């Protein structure tokens, strides 16, 4: 679903919402964001590889907007501001991108290679791995006791991409200020903030059965990032 408002009265915006389900039996491209192995656990049983795809995001919402504040010369209000007041009040523009998304999928594996195939093994499922939101934490993202190493010379029965990592909540924001130097030359000051709320973008949980930090989340994407710029438009 998409909603779009083309530029009028200084405002333009584009919003989209996706509710989807993507299924595959192999890994997507490297940019898909998944962690599954590119080689099937058992090349003779591709049915066991059928699962939610690396590209799967159950829900995703993105909103981008640009709003020219209606104050200052050439805009709706205060068009006759003195130059000193115009330098402070006039020709401001706000812009931003908001992104909310379900988490990316995480594939389970086993330390070592009990199946002795030279490839990556998946574990056996022995219980319910999902935790409620009040039980889940960075130190225990899923029920680690629900998985055990596969037996020697046997393939694990865990499906591909069983786990879902933390969702995405990101707000980028920018504010611009324009100055008209001559009729054909304008100066623009820009201040931009990526992840303006400094909301942690946590990485996927460690999903290797037997690892010392198994079941924990110990990584995150960048924190708030500020950027300033100066543009000359002519």
């Amino acid at each position: 679903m998409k909603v779009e408002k083309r530029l009028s009265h200084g405002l333009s915006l584009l919003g989209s919402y996706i509710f989807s389900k993507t299924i595959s039996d192999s890994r997507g491209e490297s940019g898909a964001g998944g962690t599954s192995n590119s080689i099937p656990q058992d090349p003779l049983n591709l049915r066991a590889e059928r699962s939610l795809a690396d590209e799967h995001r159950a829900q995703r919402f993105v909103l981008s907007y640009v709003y020219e504040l209606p104050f200052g010369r050439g805009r709706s209000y205060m068009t006759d501001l003195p130059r000193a007041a115009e330098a402070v009040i006039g020709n401001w523009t706000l812009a931003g991108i908001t992104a909310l998304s379900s988490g990316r999928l995480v594939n389970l594996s086993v330390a070592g290679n009990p199946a002795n195939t030279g490839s990556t093994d998946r574990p056996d499922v022995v219980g319910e791995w999902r935790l409620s939101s009040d039980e889940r934490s960075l130190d225990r993202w899923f029920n680690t006791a629900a998985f055990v190493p596969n037996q020697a010379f046997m393939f694990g029965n865990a499906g591909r991409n069983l786990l879902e990592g933390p969702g995405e909540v990101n707000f980028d924001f920018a504010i611009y200020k324009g100055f008209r130097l001559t009729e054909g030359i304008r100066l623009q000051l820009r201040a931009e903030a990526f992840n303006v709320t400094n909301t942690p973008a946590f990485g996927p949980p460690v999903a290797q059965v037997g690892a010392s930090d198994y079941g924990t989340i110990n990584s995150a994407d960048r924190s708030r990032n500020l950027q300033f710029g100066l543009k000359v438009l002519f």
Side-chain angles (χ1 to χ4, degrees):
M1 180 173 64
K2 181 177 80 170
V3 59
E4 180 178 7
K5 182 187 182 301
R6 297 186 179 182
L7 181 64
S8 64
H9 305 290
L11 175 65
S12 67
L13 62 84
L14 177 64
S16 62
Y17 170 73
I18 296 173
F19 178 72
S20 65
K21 187 173 185 178
T22 308
I23 296 174
S24 72
D25 61 4
S26 63
R27 176 156 191 193
E29 300 201 11
S30 58
T35 62
S36 65
N37 191 30
S38 58
I39 302 174
Q41 179 181 232
D42 179 2
L44 301 179
N45 184 16
L46 293 182
R47 183 182 293 274
E49 303 302 302
R50 179 179 169 84
S51 71
L52 294 175
D54 292 344
E55 298 87 349
H56 171 77
R57 296 292 185 277
Q59 300 185 74
R60 182 169 177 82
F61 170 76
V62 179
L63 173 68
S64 60
Y65 59 89
V66 178
Y67 182 45
E68 298 175 348
L69 297 182
F71 310 112
R73 298 186 180 188
R75 302 193 177 181
S76 301
Y77 305 104
M78 302 181 182
T79 58
D80 57 350
L81 281 174
R83 286 191 174 275
E86 169 74 11
V88 177
I89 300 174
N91 289 305
W92 287 95
T93 299
L94 308 179
I97 301 175
T98 298
L100 309 173
S101 177
S102 303
R104 68 174 181 168
L105 299 179
V106 182
N107 189 58
L108 287 147
S109 63
V110 176
N113 180 215
N116 197 34
T117 61
S119 184
T120 301
D121 295 350
R122 292 197 294 268
D124 284 328
V125 181
V126 295
E128 174 56 57
W129 63 89
R130 300 177 185 87
L131 296 176
S132 61
S133 57
D134 58 332
E135 294 179 299
R136 204 164 49 200
S137 68
L138 297 181
D139 293 326
R140 186 171 180 258
W141 190 253
F142 59 93
N143 179 19
T144 55
F147 304 102
V148 296
N150 53 312
Q151 299 180 43
F153 310 110
M154 300 285 289
F155 294 113
N157 63 17
R160 200 167 57 93
N161 287 340
L162 281 186
L163 306 177
E164 182 178 302
E168 174 190 358
V169 178
N170 187 72
F171 298 90
D172 296 336
F173 181 75
I175 184 168
Y176 313 145
K177 167 66 174 160
F179 300 89
R180 186 174 295 279
L181 302 181
T182 68
E183 184 174 351
I185 300 177
R186 290 183 298 130
L187 188 68
Q188 185 187 74
L189 296 176
R190 304 166 62 95
E192 299 165 317
F194 303 94
N195 188 14
V196 65
T197 58
N198 206 29
T199 303
F202 293 114
V206 177
Q208 185 183 62
V209 179
S212 59
D213 50 356
Y214 172 51
T216 68
I217 293 178
N218 52 26
S219 64
D221 206 344
R222 67 182 181 186
S223 57
R224 181 191 298 118
N225 186 17
L226 302 178
Q227 178 174 288
F228 301 91
L230 177 66
K231 292 179 68 174
V232 178
L233 301 101
F234 57 91

